[in-house]
Amino acid sequence: MEDKFLGPNWLLDTQEGIRLYHDVAVPFRKKVGIVDMHTHHNLRQIVENKPFPNIWRAEVLEERKEYANCDHYIIQLAAKFPGFSQEFARDPDVSDYEKWMALSKVFPYLEGSHVHQWMHLDLKRMFGIEELLSADTGQRIWKRANELLRGEEMFPQAILKRIGAKLICTTDDPIDDLRYHKMAKNIKDVTFLPTFRPDAYCNIFSEDWRKNVERICQLTRQDTSLNGLVEALRIRHAYFAEMGAKASDHGLLEPCGLNVSQKRAEQIFREAYDRGKKFDIRSVETREFISYMMHKFCEMNQERGMVTQIHYGAIRNANEYLFKRWGADVGGDVAAENVNIVENLRPLLSRFFSGESEDQGHLILYPMNQTFAHTNLMLERAFPNVHSGFPWWHNDAPYIMEQYLLHIAGSSLLTSSGGPVCDGRKVLSEGSRFEVFDRIICRAVGKLIADGQMSYDGGARAVKALMYENQARIFSLKGELNE
């Protein structure tokens, strides 16, 4: 039997989907390039454009402080098996080669997962390596990949140009001076824009909140009051807008948007800042304070023509051992099973995203628990300027993305979705992830055509909308892409 693994029609299970992919998606992607509105790429690494030391650091874990990034998907799943662990992967006394070979031994057990598919798609597309990673092939792949990584065509900027990247948005703290964004303006063919991520200044439940408030107020010469904090964030928001930012991004356990008076917000601020009171992440005070701040951020975004992005439902650092040993963002987060969405958001949506005026901006909602997707779709239908975000993080496996697209076709509009984002840390994987997105889009739309629910022309139109046109419209991207 022919092995179809990563073959020309992989993920495409109807003739209509196959036709859409090869006749519509491939040429369209070549024309418009990759537009990724949410990443965690290390822009310094891209700007300085030095060769990757080896395949382990390029594909899995780079621990050098200046270039630090990690595909924690890989380490999470590989750590399920003896011979590989978080401890081993992060041990500075273990060589990168030893780590790669240990990963190679357990990697066959990951087969069937999207992590296994991405890794091999990277090897195939970027290195021309067809072998599957295993104990038998690990050394050969290590040697061949590292030889190729020394060539200029495998430097970070060359990789992005090779895959047709046109616009890459990073995720940035409001106090970031954006020096690498200034330097990135000299990179031809690819535009890099910052995204305003102010969570650290709203999370009154965090041990670092008071220190973060002091830092941003000192930077902007504001007093450490609620008004001072809001004005400090407004100053930095304006700077981000001047640097081309198209959106703010907010990672919340619950998507807060209640109506909260300034007097009440000041009371909570004083209790947290002046008296040092500790609030729980699910406390009424936390929900009210973040709600107040979200109204302020939406005001700023509306003034500057920026999109608001909210991804919600993540319980951070559920694995306390991982957090205490290595800190945040190492794979210890999980999706919440209980989140209040509609009651929390109604006031914010009614004020800023009702469709009442053309001056209103857009909101994209991304649930970390994909079971909340239907609620997002209902909000999308009720509020014209609300859009359901493409599955990411815990949800970017092919079958979840396919079900989401079929769900949105039945409950809302494919031509309203916020479009795919890779949420990536690794430049090497950017092209592979968008190839998966494009194939899944064609797979789902192909099913709708095959079932007689869409015409072929309508399907082709939906494919283009999902791949790029929705984002170009929602984020007003014409000028950035020199169209």
Side-chain angles (χ1 to χ4, degrees), residues 350-415:
S350 294
R351 181 181 175 192
F352 292 102
F353 307 106
S354 65
E356 176 183 353
S357 167
E358 291 186 1
D359 295 332
Q360 287 188 329
H362 294 271
L363 169 67
I364 304 178
L365 293 173
Y366 301 90
M368 293 301 99
N369 186 332
Q370 200 60 23
T371 62
F372 302 147
H374 191 70
T375 300
N376 281 6
L377 295 174
M378 294 301 97
L379 290 172
E380 180 180 271
R381 290 183 68 151
F383 295 89
N385 288 25
V386 172
H387 309 274
S388 182
F390 212 85
W392 67 357
W393 196 0
H394 296 290
N395 305 306
D396 55 7
Y399 86 94
I400 298 178
M401 292 188 285
E402 178 188 3
Q403 290 304 309
Y404 160 79
L405 290 170
L406 295 175
H407 192 166
I408 195 173
S411 299
S412 184
L413 291 172
L414 292 170
T415 47

Side-chain angles (χ1 to χ4, degrees), residues 183-201:
M183 297 168 68
K185 293 184 183 299
N186 296 321
I187 299 174
K188 294 181 179 180
D189 302 322
V190 188
T191 299
F192 299 87
L193 298 179
T195 299
F196 188 76
R197 178 72 175 269
D199 297 356
Y201 310 95

